[in-house]
Amino acid sequence: MKKKLTPDLIMITDGQGHHVADAFLSGKKQLASKLRDKIVVILDHDIPAGSFETAFIQKKLIDFAEKEGVEFQNAEGIGYVVLNNRLKPGNIFVSCGNHNAFVGAAGALGIGLSESEMEELLESGEIEIEMPETVTIGLTGSLPVHVNGWDFAMYLIQLQKKLPLKGKLIRFVDKSENGLSLDERQRICLAVYGCKAFSAVFKEFASTDCDIYLNEVDGMIAIPDDQDIVKCRSAIERTKVDACFIGGCAGGHISDLRKVAEILKGKRIKRELRLLIGFVDNETYLTAAHEGLIEIFFDAGAQVTNPGCGSCKTTSIGVVGDGEVLASTGCYNFAGCAGTAASKVYLVNAEAAAQAALDGYIGGRADGI
């Protein structure tokens, strides 16, 4: 069934979807006036601009925001995180990004649009969406030590053969022992991209189609080049890494960084290895500074970058070269997502990435970290 929708919040970034600004800057299309107070243009992907191409994209978006009189934010953090506190349960959020389900942690519905769909929305003021089939999953028990919502997200990807979620709207019901934090809910919602689902949203009370026992989730790892190949980290052969990235939507929250600091405190990372640490937003950056976490990171030999997407998907921030291996808390592991096409990216949680920076390898550990 198709349904016409007018979103409550629309995000345009320097990542996917920046081309939608072209038609409006050229005058070929006119922005629907009723959307002006709903649009936010955010630079969060490649900041500061790491290439001439990115600089041109960002200047275009600045011009678009100025011409249309819409809100503009420059380098305040990852858009999904920065805008999350503006959304209420039942609100509709759209962008051309892949992780719109992130806002489902707070009960809002995040929908990803193609550039042509976004152009149609900006011009007409509404968009027609084919409403998907819904599956409701109850989350019971509690996550084990050293396991977080990102591990669950990858675990859910692994369950695709038993629990097909492609194209569906996933409704999560938190029935866990102590309740999942907002950070954990956000990470869990990020499973949508790997599952190729329509979106995900947490519901406070609903009957469920199935329940998943959180205690059964192990520390997980996504193998390079294919998010469909997910395994327990303890089952992975000892693999040398050249660089580690802790940050992005799945690893740059203050809850992650406190755990990382506990692991790194009083230690030094491997001499031949680079460790880059980022933050989801400015507030997290300031909190980490006030709590002394950044000093611990520096003492351990890590590099610290500004709030934003960091090495999740970039060609300029913390990239790796031919033959190198990156252990990352990012959302992507396809060839070339964080370096050259001949590099490899393993996806892990923040604690595993911090331990890898000390050990110089991932996998082969009995404790699963």
Side-chain angles (χ1 to χ4, degrees):
M1 179 181 72
K2 289 189 175 182
K3 186 175 181 179
K4 288 189 176 181
L5 303 171
T6 297
D8 298 284
L9 196 57
I10 301 166
M11 182 177 75
I12 300 173
T13 75
D14 55 325
Q16 297 97 322
H18 64 84
H19 290 295
V20 301
D22 296 338
F24 297 91
L25 281 171
S26 67
K28 291 181 180 179
K29 293 183 179 291
Q30 300 298 315
L31 182 68
S33 59
K34 71 175 184 178
L35 296 182
R36 279 199 169 82
D37 62 349
K38 301 177 183 292
I39 299 171
V40 184
V41 175
I42 294 183
L43 306 185
D44 66 354
H45 274 62
D46 192 3
I47 50 171
S51 67
F52 294 129
E53 180 183 3
T54 296
F56 294 145
I57 290 170
Q58 294 182 355
K59 180 59 168 63
K60 173 179 67 177
L61 293 180
I62 292 170
D63 291 343
F64 169 76
E66 183 176 16
K67 175 180 181 292
E68 299 297 348
V70 300
E71 184 179 347
F72 172 75
Q73 292 188 12
N74 184 13
E76 294 189 25
I78 300 171
Y80 302 115
V81 178
V82 174
L83 298 181
N84 196 62
N85 60 5
R86 297 192 190 183
L87 295 163
K88 300 176 181 178
N91 281 174
I92 297 172
F93 169 88
V94 300
S95 84
C96 292
N98 294 321
H99 307 300
N100 297 282
F102 186 92
V103 303
L109 176 61
I111 301 174
L113 301 181
S114 67
E115 289 188 343
S116 60
E117 289 172 330
M118 181 65 84
E119 279 192 17
E120 177 187 339
L121 166 63
L122 296 183
E123 185 177 35
S124 69
E126 59 184 16
I127 186 71
E128 191 171 54
I129 298 292
E130 182 73 40
M131 300 309 293
E133 180 183 348
T134 299
V135 58
T136 305
I137 301 174
L139 305 178
T140 65
S142 60
L143 291 168
V145 177
H146 306 311
V147 173
N148 68 21
W150 186 226
D151 294 295
F152 177 85
M154 289 190 278
Y155 176 77
L156 198 58
I157 294 170
Q158 189 184 45
L159 292 181
Q160 282 288 284
K161 290 182 179 179
K162 298 180 180 178
L163 184 63
L165 298 170
K166 184 177 180 180
K168 296 180 181 179
L169 171 62
I170 307 170
R171 299 198 307 175
F172 290 114
V173 179
D174 186 356
K175 301 161 65 176
S176 61
E177 291 177 5
N178 301 311
L180 295 162
S181 67
L182 180 63
D183 288 359
E184 296 294 14
R185 289 184 176 202
Q186 289 169 341
R187 279 184 278 259
I188 286 171
C189 285
L190 291 173
V192 162
Y193 176 72
C195 292
K196 300 178 180 61
F198 175 79
S199 192
V201 62
F202 269 82
K203 290 288 186 181
E204 293 306 315
F205 303 101
S207 59
T208 59
D209 297 310
C210 64
D211 286 355
I212 296 178
Y213 190 49
L214 296 174
N215 298 64
E216 296 179 351
V217 180
D218 199 352
M220 308 300 291
I221 185 167
I223 305 301
D225 304 333
D226 191 346
Q227 275 197 3
D228 291 338
I229 304 177
V230 178
K231 299 182 179 180
C232 295
R233 289 197 302 272
S234 57
I236 298 294
E237 287 187 16
R238 179 184 170 106
T239 302
K240 180 179 178 295
V241 298
D242 301 284
C244 299
F245 169 62
I246 298 170
C249 298
H253 299 269
I254 193 64
S255 57
D256 300 306
L257 302 179
R258 287 169 179 153
K259 293 177 181 178
V260 169
E262 289 178 9
I263 292 171
L264 296 180
K265 190 173 183 178
K267 303 182 180 70
R268 292 283 295 184
I269 66 172
K270 295 285 288 187
R271 187 187 66 175
E272 302 85 2
L273 188 146
R274 295 99 67 194
L275 169 61
L276 180 67
I277 298 176
F279 313 85
V280 292
D281 58 13
N282 291 347
E283 182 180 352
T284 301
Y285 193 110
L286 292 172
T287 300
H290 292 155
E291 293 184 6
L293 305 187
I294 292 179
E295 184 176 355
I296 293 173
F297 300 154
F298 284 154
D299 289 344
Q303 301 168 338
V304 170
T305 188
N306 52 288
C309 294
S311 295
C312 178
K313 181 182 177 184
T314 182
T315 56
S316 65
I317 304 172
V319 297
V320 287
D322 287 357
E324 289 192 309
V325 172
L326 173 69
S328 171
T329 65
C331 296
Y332 300 101
N333 64 342
F334 60 84
C337 68
T340 67
S343 61
K344 299 289 185 183
V345 178
Y346 288 84
L347 300 182
V348 295
N349 74 22
E351 291 180 79
Q355 192 62 55
L358 296 175
D359 297 342
Y361 66 88
I362 51 176
R365 290 177 60 93
D367 57 15
I369 300 180

